[in-house]
C-alpha cells in the first residue's frame, strides 16, 4: 500500500518556525494577561517573540516605544524579570533547540539564521543557558527523519 504525499505551500522548516513562534506567543500572552503588563509593552514583546528578529529590528521597535531607552529597560525588567537582551537571547535559543533537534542545519547556518554575532557567541550562550553544548543537545535530542 503506497501513501500519497500531500503537497503543502510550506516547507517542514517553515512550518516548524511558524509553530514555534505561535507556541511562544501563546505562552507569552498567557503570562502577560496574568501579570498586568501595559498594552504598549505587550506589543513590543510580541515583536521580540520572533526568533528571527535582527538587532536593527529591535532598535527600530525600541524607537517606536513612548519611553526613553532607560525607561523602557526599567519597565521591561520590572515586568519580565530580565533584560531585553536576555529575553531576546532566550527566545532565539529556544528556537535554536528546535532547529538542532529537527533539522540538518549546521551550527553556522543556525547562527546566521538567528542573527547571532558569531558561532562561538552562539555556542557560549547556548551552553550558558542550557548547560550543554549545541552539538551535545543535537546528539541527545535528534528526531530521526521519517522514511518514505
Amino acid at each position: 500500500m503506497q501513501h500519497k504525499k500531500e503537497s503543502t505551500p510550506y516547507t517542514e522548516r517553515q512550518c516548524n518556525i511558524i509553530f514555534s513562534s505561535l507556541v511562544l506567543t501563546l505562552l507569552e500572552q498567557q503570562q502577560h494577561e496574568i501579570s498586568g503588563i501595559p498594552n504598549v509593552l505587550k506589543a513590543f514583546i510580541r515583536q521580540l517573540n520572533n526568533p528571527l528578529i535582527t538587532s536593527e529590528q529591535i532598535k527600530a521597535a525600541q524607537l517606536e516605544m513612548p519611553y526613553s531607552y532607560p525607561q523602557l529597560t526599567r519597565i521591561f525588567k520590572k515586568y519580565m524579570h530580565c533584560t531585553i537582551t536576555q529575553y531576546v537571547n532566550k527566545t532565539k535559543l529556544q528556537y535554536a533547540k528546535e532547529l538542532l533537534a529537527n533539522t540538518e542545519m549546521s551550527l553556522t547556518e543556525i547562527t546566521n539564521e538567528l542573527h547571532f554575532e558569531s558561532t562561538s557567541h552562539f555556542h557560549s550562550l547556548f551552553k550558558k543557558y542550557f548547560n550543554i553544548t549545541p552539538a551535545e543537545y543535537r546528539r541527545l535530542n535528534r528526531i530521526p527523519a521519517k522514511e518514505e
Side-chain angles (χ1 to χ4, degrees):
M1 181 168 151
Q2 218 174 13
H3 293 283
K4 185 177 179 184
K5 188 174 180 179
E6 292 183 33
S7 65
T8 170
Y10 299 106
T11 65
E12 185 175 344
R13 184 165 156 257
Q14 289 171 322
C15 289
N16 285 336
I17 290 170
I18 293 167
F19 178 74
S20 296
S21 294
L22 286 172
V23 169
L24 286 171
T25 301
L26 289 172
L27 290 172
E28 291 302 325
Q29 285 176 348
Q30 185 179 37
Q31 179 183 357
H32 300 167
E33 289 169 5
I34 295 168
S35 60
I37 293 175
N39 286 336
V40 68
L41 188 57
K42 286 181 187 180
F44 178 65
I45 291 167
R46 274 193 296 278
Q47 292 178 0
L48 299 182
N49 284 338
N50 175 4
L52 306 180
I53 195 167
T54 65
S55 56
E56 292 80 18
Q57 290 169 324
I58 295 168
K59 288 175 189 167
Q62 289 171 344
L63 291 174
E64 292 173 11
M65 296 295 292
Y67 309 113
S68 68
Y69 181 74
Q71 287 174 313
L72 176 60
T73 56
R74 271 193 310 277
I75 292 167
F76 189 92
K77 191 161 189 167
K78 174 184 173 183
Y79 288 102
M80 301 307 293
H81 310 290
C82 63
T83 67
I84 294 168
T85 301
Q86 289 168 334
Y87 186 87
V88 169
N89 284 339
K90 184 170 47 172
T91 300
K92 288 176 178 283
L93 290 169
Q94 286 294 345
Y95 185 62
K97 286 169 68 174
E98 294 295 320
L99 294 175
L100 289 165
N102 297 305
T103 73
E104 297 294 327
M105 292 174 72
S106 69
L107 292 183
T108 301
E109 290 171 323
I110 293 172
T111 297
N112 293 335
E113 177 90 5
L114 299 178
H115 306 285
F116 283 105
E117 296 171 18
S118 66
T119 304
S120 62
H121 182 227
F122 166 67
H123 186 276
S124 64
L125 279 175
F126 195 95
K127 179 142 179 144
K128 177 182 171 183
Y129 277 78
F130 304 120
N131 234 8
I132 189 171
T133 68
E136 290 170 320
Y137 181 86
R138 174 173 267 167
R139 186 176 50 80
L140 295 171
N141 295 282
R142 171 55 108 206
I143 296 174
K146 293 180 186 176
E147 290 185 28
E148 294 196 32

